[in-house]
Amino acid sequence: GESVGLHLPTLSVQEGDNSIINCAYSNSASDYFIWYKQESGKGPQFIIDIRSNMDKRQGQRVTVLLNKTVKHLSLQIAATQPGDSAVYFCAENKGDKIIFGKGTRLHILP
Amino acid sequence: DSGVTQTPKHLITATGQRVTLRCSPRSGDLSVYWYQQSLDQGLQFLIQYYNGEERAKGNILERFSAQQFPDLHSELNLSSLELGDSALYFCASNRQGAYEQYFGPGTRLTVT
């Protein structure tokens, strides 16, 4: 079946280090992927997206990498800050639907 | 602030009851999406409306229904509530042709 899932439920990173959050997807026909950030008590917030014809896309302190061969997506956060503490979801856009993975909680260690 | 509003913020009700959740999309957005978020299921897409018409359906139970009104606000109706319906319900909106969705703050529903 179709699924978008994350490898780890929790990731702890030292403040200032880089964070890498991983995601695997199963539908090779997927053509668009999104990362969302959800802080406690808030709705998901768009971070960055990538189309399947790209391998890499960079934003402000974030980079998304797409490996279509192994159907793997990752979000890299540079110089992780306390404000990055949240749950991160990868999501797959299929037409008008977005299918979310279960999320990875990012803990920032002081 | 995403520009999407949802009311109420919290709702506590009993099993068997019916509730209505309300969402106002961002100004100019024609599409409204509803999601359910529970601890063990992550974010589940329920249904999408575009300019008043149902556009896509996800894992929405028959006990649940939604509609989008001429002023583009949307309501999600949940009936014959069960304990398992306790969750966060999010509404999102986006512009025509855009994939990026903007989420509201959510309604936390507790069924006792």
Side-chain angles (χ1 to χ4, degrees):
Chain A
E2 302 168 352
S3 67
V4 180
L6 296 169
H7 291 310
L8 295 173
T10 305
L11 176 68
S12 295
V13 175
Q14 204 77 35
E15 183 178 347
D17 288 351
N18 296 336
S19 301
I20 300 177
I21 301 172
N22 295 307
C23 178
Y25 63 95
S26 60
N27 189 343
S28 58
S30 300
D31 60 1
Y32 182 77
F33 302 90
I34 312 157
W35 280 99
Y36 280 88
K37 171 186 181 182
Q38 186 175 19
E39 296 176 272
S40 181
K42 297 184 179 180
Q45 178 185 6
F46 174 90
I47 303 173
I48 192 168
D49 57 3
I50 188 167
R51 293 186 182 276
S52 61
N53 61 355
M54 302 169 70
D55 296 323
K56 179 179 179 179
R57 189 159 188 224
Q58 287 186 291
Q60 190 174 17
R61 275 201 314 119
V62 294
T63 301
V64 56
L65 299 177
L66 177 62
N67 185 331
K68 294 179 286 293
T69 302
V70 295
K71 291 186 282 189
H72 182 269
L73 191 70
S74 70
L75 176 71
Q76 300 179 5
I77 304 173
T80 310
Q81 302 168 359
D84 295 327
S85 180
V87 176
Y88 290 82
F89 294 94
C90 66
E92 167 189 16
N93 207 92
K94 294 175 63 70
D96 289 327
K97 299 181 187 179
I98 288 184
I99 301 173
F100 284 82
K102 289 195 176 181
T104 292
R105 182 173 296 280
L106 179 63
H107 287 291
I108 313 303
L109 303 172
Chain B
D1 184 3
S2 66
V4 178
T5 60
Q6 289 186 248
T7 56
K9 194 169 177 63
H10 300 280
L11 198 48
I12 301 174
T13 190
T15 54
Q17 295 299 306
R18 172 190 168 94
V19 297
T20 297
L21 313 183
R22 184 189 167 103
C23 167
S24 291
R26 291 187 319 157
S27 177
D29 288 358
L30 300 180
S31 280
V32 168
Y33 305 77
W34 285 98
Y35 293 87
Q36 179 191 58
Q37 185 176 40
S38 53
L39 280 174
D40 60 345
Q41 291 295 322
L43 271 162
Q44 297 288 321
F45 168 71
L46 295 178
I47 197 164
Q48 179 207 356
Y49 278 81
Y50 176 80
N51 202 21
E53 295 190 1
E54 183 183 304
R55 172 66 69 88
K57 227 170 185 176
N59 302 317
I60 188 166
L61 300 172
E62 286 190 9
R63 300 183 286 109
F64 296 0
S65 65
Q67 58 185 130
Q68 187 179 27
F69 295 86
D71 66 352
L72 301 177
H73 91 271
S74 179
E75 292 181 356
L76 179 67
N77 301 296
L78 315 176
S79 61
S80 303
L81 285 167
E82 302 175 359
L83 295 177
D85 297 328
S86 296
L88 274 166
Y89 291 84
F90 287 103
C91 165
S93 73
N94 66 357
R95 301 198 192 287
Q96 184 180 6
Y99 287 115
E100 179 181 344
Q101 295 182 11
Y102 291 85
F103 283 78
T107 293
R108 180 174 293 280
L109 174 66
T110 302
V111 182
T112 62

